[in-house]
Amino acid sequence: MKRTSLTARTGLALAALAVPAVLTGCGGSTSASANQQVTSISVLDYYNNEPDKTFIGDALNTCAQKAGVTLDRQTITGSALIQKVLQQASSKTLPDVLMLDNPDLQQIASTGALAPLSDFKISTDGFADGVLQAGTYNGKVYGLAPTVNTIALFYNKDLLAKAGIQPPTTWDELKAAAAKLTSGSQYGIAFSAAATYEGTWQFLPFMWSNGGDEKNLDSPQNAEALQLWTDLVKDGSASSGVLNWKQADVKDQFVAGKAAMMVNGPWQLPPLDKAAGLNYGIVKLPTKNATDTEVAPLGGETWTVPQTGNKAKQAKAAEVVGCMNSDEMQLSMAKQRNTVPSKTTLAAQFASQNPKLSVFTDLIKTARARTGELGADWPKAATKIYTAVQSALTGKASPADALKQAQNNG
C-alpha cells in the first residue's frame, strides 16, 4: 500500500454480503460475445493524482496498443473505489480491467467479481511470494501488481550528525535518539497514527517484527509495539499531531525540519529530492532487538480481470493485465514511480541501478501481504488496529487494554 490502501471505508462488509447473490451467472457468455471484434475496453483505477495518473495512463495505453484496442479509462479517489466496484458488480457494469489496492483484492474476489488469471494463462513465475500471496484467494491468483512498495525510516543526516547520533536500529536506540533530537519546534520522529488504514499500515512493521499478528490483537508482543508508540508521544519525542497526520503530512513535517526522522515510503522521494538543502538517508525501521528481522507490510496495486460476461473483452483485458506485469513495464513503472519491481530478479537488477531504493528492495523480499492471515476479513482487523492505536495514544486506555478492547470488539 501506498497512500491509498489506507483510507478508511464504511459499510463495505454489508455491501459485500449483498454482492454474491447478484453475481450469479454474471460470468456467462454467448458465442457472439466470444467471437466479437473488440476495439475498446474500459479501465477503472484510483490513480487520479499527478504524476501517477499520467505514468499509469501511459503504461495502459502502451499495453492497449499492443492488444489492438483503445481505452475508456475512469479514475476516482481511493476512498470511493471499493464501494463503486461493489455497486458495479451488483448492476453487472464492471469495467474490463480493474485496479485494486492489494489488501482489497480478496474481499472483491470473494464476491465472485473477478476471474482467475490462470483462465487466461497469465504467468505468475518469478513474482515475490508476498506479491502472489496478496493476489491470491482460495488458492487462485486473481491479480498481479507490477510494482510494490513498503515503508522504512528516513532521517535527516545533518540533524543526526549535529547531535552525534547514528540511525537507530533498536527500539531503545530509537527512543533515545528521538528524545535527544527533540528541541523547540523540532520533534525527534514523525509517523502517521491516523484513524484510517494508513495508521494501521504504519504500525504493522512494529507489530509484526515483534512477533505480533492480527489474529491475536491482545498479545503481549502487540502491546509492546503499541507501548513504544505511546511512549514516543507521551514523552514529546513525537507530536500529538501524529493522531491526525497522513503520510503526506508526515513528509511535510520532515521537509520543514520539524521532524528529524520519519516513517514513510519511497513515493516521497521526488518531493524530498526537490527540498532545498535537505540531506536525508533511509534505513530499515528499528526492531525491538538488533537480532530481530523486520517484517514489512507489502504495498502496491494489483490489476485484475473482472467477470463481465463478455469473453472477448475479457481476453483483451487479460492481454493488457499481462502486459502491465511484463518485465519491461515493471522496470519502467518502478523507475517512474519510485517503487520496486514485483519479480525478484528484476528487483535485484533495479536496486543496483537505483541505490536510493535499495532498502525498500531488500525489505520487499520478505514483505508480508496484509491479507495473508485473515484474507477478506483484513479490513475489520485494520479498523480494530487503528482504533486501538488511537485509544492508547490519546491516553484513553493503556496499550494492553486498548488492544484487548479491540480484540473483543466484534
Side-chain angles (χ1 to χ4, degrees):
M1 162 189 126
K2 194 179 171 176
R3 314 151 271 254
T4 46
S5 65
L6 317 169
T7 310
R9 304 178 183 109
T10 58
L12 296 186
L14 212 57
L17 289 174
V19 172
V22 300
L23 284 179
T24 303
C26 114
S29 138
T30 65
S31 58
S33 72
N35 295 325
Q36 77 178 92
Q37 183 177 2
V38 177
T39 59
S40 176
I41 60 173
S42 57
V43 180
L44 176 64
D45 63 75
Y46 62 44
Y47 294 111
N48 64 330
N49 293 321
E50 298 295 351
D52 277 345
K53 183 175 183 178
T54 297
F55 288 158
I56 298 301
D58 289 346
L60 283 167
N61 285 327
T62 296
C63 289
Q65 288 174 7
K66 291 183 178 181
V69 295
T70 59
L71 296 180
D72 175 15
R73 182 187 179 200
Q74 181 183 9
T75 62
I76 61 175
T77 63
S79 58
L81 180 66
I82 298 305
Q83 189 62 44
K84 184 174 183 65
V85 170
L86 293 171
Q87 291 169 348
Q88 289 177 326
S90 178
S91 60
K92 299 183 181 179
T93 57
L94 285 163
D96 300 306
V97 175
L98 172 64
M99 184 228 70
L100 292 169
D101 196 15
N102 78 75
D104 294 324
L105 180 138
Q106 294 199 21
Q107 179 190 5
I108 300 303
S110 70
T111 70
L114 304 178
L117 297 187
S118 58
D119 287 357
F120 312 101
K121 296 182 172 55
I122 294 177
S123 174
T124 59
D125 293 343
F127 283 80
D129 290 342
V131 176
L132 290 180
Q133 188 180 50
T136 299
Y137 175 72
N138 278 356
K140 293 185 177 181
V141 177
Y142 286 87
L144 289 174
T147 66
V148 287
N149 60 74
T150 189
I151 47 180
L153 185 72
F154 291 71
Y155 64 96
N156 186 309
K157 289 184 176 181
D158 295 335
L159 293 178
L160 265 69
K162 183 178 179 181
I165 296 173
Q166 294 295 316
T169 60
T170 67
W171 287 1
D172 286 343
E173 289 177 2
L174 176 63
K175 291 171 69 174
K180 191 172 182 179
L181 290 163
T182 299
S183 177
S185 62
Q186 175 186 297
Y187 290 92
I189 188 168
F191 49 85
S192 172
T196 65
Y197 293 167
E198 196 156 351
T200 297
W201 156 262
Q202 288 231 326
F203 182 65
L204 287 178
F206 296 91
M207 183 176 95
W208 284 345
S209 301
N210 197 43
D213 63 37
E214 50 272 34
K215 285 185 176 179
N216 303 291
L217 290 180
D218 57 350
S219 70
Q221 293 85 353
N222 288 351
E224 286 179 343
L226 187 49
Q227 186 68 59
L228 170 67
W229 271 26
T230 303
D231 290 345
L232 289 169
V233 173
K234 189 175 182 180
D235 72 9
S237 297
S239 168
S240 59
V242 302
L243 288 156
N244 300 306
W245 287 344
K246 298 178 181 179
Q247 291 176 111
D249 300 318
V250 172
K251 176 263 298 177
D252 290 342
Q253 295 292 316
F254 185 73
V255 169
K258 294 182 178 180
M261 300 180 289
M262 72 167 177
V263 180
N264 229 314
W267 56 90
Q268 305 292 11
L269 292 179
L272 294 184
D273 290 340
K274 291 179 182 178
L278 179 59
N279 184 21
Y280 69 92
I282 307 170
V283 293
K284 294 181 180 181
L285 287 168
T287 51
K288 182 182 178 182
N289 304 299
T291 55
D292 294 341
T293 299
E294 182 183 344
V295 182
L298 183 76
E301 292 79 28
T302 61
W303 293 90
T304 71
V305 179
Q307 293 280 22
T308 61
N310 188 315
K311 295 303 182 183
K313 284 198 169 187
Q314 282 186 284
K316 285 297 182 181
E319 288 184 44
V320 172
V321 170
C323 172
M324 290 288 284
N325 283 279
S326 66
D327 292 8
E328 178 185 359
M329 297 307 293
Q330 285 199 19
L331 289 169
S332 174
M333 284 191 282
K335 184 176 181 180
Q336 290 178 326
R337 303 183 59 237
N338 290 290
T339 49
V340 179
S342 295
K343 292 185 178 180
T344 54
T345 54
L346 295 180
Q349 173 187 333
F350 183 74
S352 66
Q353 299 169 352
N354 299 272
K356 279 190 177 181
L357 287 161
S358 61
V359 170
F360 298 102
T361 303
D362 191 43
L363 289 169
I364 291 299
K365 296 175 184 176
T366 56
R368 182 184 297 177
R370 281 160 281 176
T371 50
E373 288 197 344
L374 298 180
D377 288 334
W378 163 252
K380 296 178 184 177
T383 301
K384 290 182 179 183
I385 291 169
Y386 70 64
T387 300
V389 169
Q390 287 265 313
S391 182
L393 267 58
T394 55
K396 293 181 180 178
S398 69
D401 286 345
L403 288 163
K404 185 176 182 179
Q405 291 168 13
Q407 179 69 33
N408 296 330
N409 184 16

